[in-house]
Amino acid sequence: KLQDLAHKNCHLVVEAVVENLKIKQSIFQTLDEITPPQCVLLSNTSTLDIDAMASVLTPQRQEWFMGWHFFSPAHVMKLVEIVVGKRTSPEAVTFLQTLSKQVGKIAVVVGNCDGFCGNRLLRPYSLESSYLVAEGAASITQVDEAVVELGVALGPFVMGDLAGNDVGYNIRRERGWTRETPQSPIPSKRPARYAELADVMITDMGRTGQKAGKGWYDYDPAVGRGRTPLHSPEMEQLVKSHVAQLQPSQRGPPASPSEIVRRCFYPLVNEGFKCLEEGIALRPSDIDVVYLYGYGFPMWRGGPMHWADHQVGLRAILEWLEQMSEKNPTSDHFFPSALLVECVRQNITVEEYYRQKEQRTPRQARSKL
């Protein structure tokens, strides 16, 4: 009960309820009233607006309000994002950085936007991986295998099953992307390249992932203690039925493993550049740390921004994005970041760009978000 927290020795509360802004605001409004003034209030939200939550708190409490986004499974993943709001004080950020270290986490300070840093980059990655399957360009297994071949710990569909596909569905519903019924009009907020397969498997089939014994894959308690992904005839039939209803122009050509990697990761890198432009991330290495410790990106590749800089090449990514943007002008995740364009124009890596920027900026003027 929330009333149990109305104690003079209550110093910190971390909220971790379902991703629904109204519910979270209601909880924080109550906590603001019942907890002692020195109690620090934090949210474990993975996508929602920190400032919107802070708006229900008193001005004094807002200075110490932040997001403390743990990555699942929280007892395994080392990363935590410290999400800074408009009124969060530098002292509060320093306090939470220290606390994060004390509880054995690697903390990255990020700005406030939909998805913050990690999940914002995950959005185009998830959209494209699902779209590859929905347009018939690749199977669920082929997408996962191509991503794992790059060195990532888990493919997008195995990861979804592990985290819970209903979590992603609730986030999409909160963003206004889902339909209430199959007959409902397509929501205006929905991205252009959107695969309803991920919604149908939840609403019509209850395929929430490992916890239900079925998600993108099937799971058998007798095989790997119910954690080994197995081919799902039901999902195979759902995909076939969906693809069969498409017009020939809507179907994608078979995608090679290298094309799957480009489709999944080049938009992710592009979104990383946009986060840097907007100040959501302070430096490219912060994004790399988020993906190394929060999403299983291979250590030996150095993180997605380092991979883009030193293994792929920014010019190759820009040229691919320009081609895809021309073919798909309504898909904003293909529209090249201005920072990416500038780095290519100067023929430097984004790492070099930020090194030069720090050399030009006096230390005392550097922001901590």
Side-chain angles (χ1 to χ4, degrees), residues 127 130-131 133-134 172 190 193-199 216 242:
L127 288 172
S130 298
Y131 205 78
V133 173
R172 295 192 298 275
R190 175 183 289 186
R193 294 165 70 82
Y194 187 87
E196 283 197 328
L197 289 172
D199 297 342
W216 292 97
H242 175 81

Side-chain angles (χ1 to χ4, degrees), residues 158 160-162 164-165 208-215 219 226-229:
V158 172
D161 281 356
L162 177 62
N165 296 309
T208 56
Q210 282 188 21
K211 58 189 175 185
K214 58 181 185 177
Y219 298 88
R227 296 175 184 172
T228 301

Side-chain angles (χ1 to χ4, degrees), residues 320-341:
W320 184 88
L321 287 169
E322 288 173 337
Q323 292 171 8
M324 292 298 289
S325 186
E326 186 175 347
K327 294 176 184 176
N328 305 277
T330 57
S331 295
D332 61 358
H333 61 247
F334 290 137
F335 189 79
S337 152
L339 176 58
L340 172 59
V341 173

Side-chain angles (χ1 to χ4, degrees), residues 32 35 81 85 109 125 135 198 220 252 313 331:
D32 193 30
T35 56
E81 285 180 321
V109 180
Y125 171 84
E135 68 175 359
D220 185 339
S331 295

Side-chain angles (χ1 to χ4, degrees), residues 105-127:
K105 296 296 182 181
I106 295 171
V108 176
V109 180
V110 298
N112 180 35
C113 67
D114 185 3
F116 316 132
C117 177
N119 281 340
R120 174 169 167 177
L121 271 65
L122 196 68
R123 180 170 54 188
Y125 171 84
S126 299
L127 288 172

